[in-house]
Amino acid sequence: MKFTKMQGAGNDYVYVDCTQNELKNVSEVAVAVSDRHFGIGSDGLILIKKSDKADFFMEMYNADGSQGSMCGNGIRCVGKYVYDNGLTDKAEITVETLSGIKTLQLYPGSDGKVKTVRVNMGAPILQPEQIPADIHAFKNAEILKNVDRLVAQPISVDGKDYEVTCVSMGNPHAIVYLDKNVDLKAFELEKIGPMFENHPAFPDRVNTEFIQVCDSENLNMRVWERGSGETFACGTGACASLVATVLNGLCNDTATLHLLGGDLKITWDKKENTVYMEGPAETVFTGEWLLKEEN
């Protein structure tokens, strides 16, 4: 299996061109290649396929083998892959995902290779049942019966109360705000992250973003992704966090999200009700993975 390792703001995936050939036992392959000690090392596996609805189809799997609907950093790298490898010569392409068709604007550098990508991520989903989020697991369950969004709502996790804002960008996100005096780098994400991920409030599990507001245009972020654990970046999470922070009145409609792996510029165009994400996409290396015989 020929592959390319790519990363967007430190969110790394193994990419395989499946426009001509299918890959079998994909979930098992995803687990194997993602292992950072015995595999290639990644946050998951992304297959690039043909689509009868868009220019390409992105099929993504998390490091634990579970299939994901959408990955903002991953889709930017898809754009770079197809352009740099001659699968398209268009600077604007469409990519079908399980959460809909996304439009990508590709920005090549002087060497003809794509450096940054701007993605139309679509409209944020705020309705609890569509995220999905089970209001009965929130502390104000009775009050929440008639609300159409969950903004700064208290929830108990491991005996401690947190206020969360819930947004879906094709996958579910719970956004939590930390005080500026908290050391974000020392925050015990590996302990609290799994408790959020598997909380009964989130029937499909959840990605959780922990945010510190620096000012109206800059946010610091760490993220725990369902199925992958902590990652250096999460594109949909950055988009959801911007939307949540705007809803909480804590930042402008455009802000830069500072993640462990780099920066992402996010804009929520309220008139269009569309979120745009712009950030880097880089190739790390290419190689061949020896598949098991049954694959």
Side-chain angles (χ1 to χ4, degrees):
M1 178 188 82
K2 292 183 178 181
F3 71 87
T4 299
K5 168 101 176 257
M6 306 182 77
Q7 63 91 6
N11 198 189
D12 59 339
Y13 286 86
V14 172
Y15 292 78
V16 179
D17 179 0
C18 289
T19 57
Q20 300 299 325
N21 299 296
E22 285 291 320
L23 181 65
K24 299 178 181 179
N25 301 330
V26 183
S27 291
E28 289 137 358
V29 174
V31 172
V33 300
S34 298
D35 192 293
R36 296 192 182 277
H37 297 286
F38 300 100
I40 299 166
S42 68
D43 292 325
L45 173 68
I46 290 180
L47 310 183
I48 300 170
K49 296 185 169 185
K50 292 181 179 179
S51 170
D52 57 5
K53 300 177 182 178
D55 293 314
F56 299 95
F57 180 84
M58 180 181 84
E59 183 174 306
M60 69 156 293
Y61 293 83
N62 297 309
D64 67 352
S66 61
Q67 189 169 7
S69 299
M70 174 59 188
C71 175
N73 292 310
I75 201 171
R76 289 203 315 277
C77 290
V78 168
K80 175 177 175 62
Y81 184 100
V82 297
Y83 188 92
D84 289 1
N85 288 282
L87 298 181
T88 184
D89 59 0
K90 298 190 297 183
E92 182 176 293
I93 64 169
T94 55
V95 178
E96 182 185 358
T97 74
L98 292 183
S99 65
I101 295 174
K102 310 300 179 185
T103 301
L104 282 62
Q105 187 68 45
L106 313 178
Y107 298 104
S110 58
D111 61 354
K113 304 292 186 182
V114 171
K115 303 300 181 185
T116 61
V117 179
R118 188 173 192 249
V119 185
N120 179 332
M121 298 289 285
I125 298 169
L126 303 176
Q127 296 79 7
E129 65 276 7
Q130 294 182 30
I131 289 173
D134 184 354
I135 60 172
H136 299 96
F138 285 77
K139 299 199 73 174
N140 295 335
E142 288 299 317
I143 300 174
L144 297 178
K145 288 181 178 179
N146 299 314
V147 303
D148 60 356
R149 59 186 61 177
L150 298 171
V151 177
Q153 292 299 325
I155 189 172
S156 180
V157 181
D158 193 31
K160 182 179 179 180
D161 288 346
Y162 295 85
E163 286 190 348
V164 301
T165 299
C166 299
V167 180
S168 173
M169 291 300 306
N171 49 8
H173 295 271
I175 294 86
V176 180
Y177 295 94
L178 301 177
D179 293 335
K180 288 185 177 181
N181 60 1
V182 173
D183 185 348
L184 187 59
K185 291 183 178 180
F187 183 70
E188 294 185 321
L189 185 59
E190 67 282 355
K191 177 182 177 182
I192 194 66
M195 296 181 184
F196 269 95
E197 177 182 354
N198 298 290
H199 195 282
F202 307 105
D204 290 345
R205 297 186 295 166
V206 75
N207 304 283
T208 310
E209 286 73 35
F210 295 87
I211 301 294
Q212 280 182 326
V213 179
C214 303
D215 54 46
S216 61
E217 295 181 345
N218 293 276
L219 311 175
N220 292 331
M221 169 180 154
R222 282 181 68 187
V223 56
W224 183 271
E225 293 198 55
R226 59 176 183 171
S228 292
E230 181 173 18
T231 58
F232 273 38
C234 176
T236 57
C239 293
S241 296
L242 183 280
V243 170
T245 309
V246 170
L247 291 175
N248 280 280
L250 300 175
C251 78
N252 297 337
D253 294 351
T254 295
T256 298
L257 279 289
H258 304 285
L259 303 99
L260 295 180
D263 297 342
L264 296 175
K265 182 181 178 182
I266 312 296
T267 297
W268 184 15
D269 187 323
K270 289 184 178 177
K271 185 176 180 180
E272 296 180 1
N273 192 28
T274 300
V275 180
Y276 294 91
M277 172 192 62
E278 184 172 343
E282 297 184 4
T283 297
V284 182
F285 59 84
T286 62
E288 291 190 14
W289 175 264
L290 297 178
L291 294 167
K292 293 181 180 180
E293 290 185 5
E294 59 266 29
N295 290 327

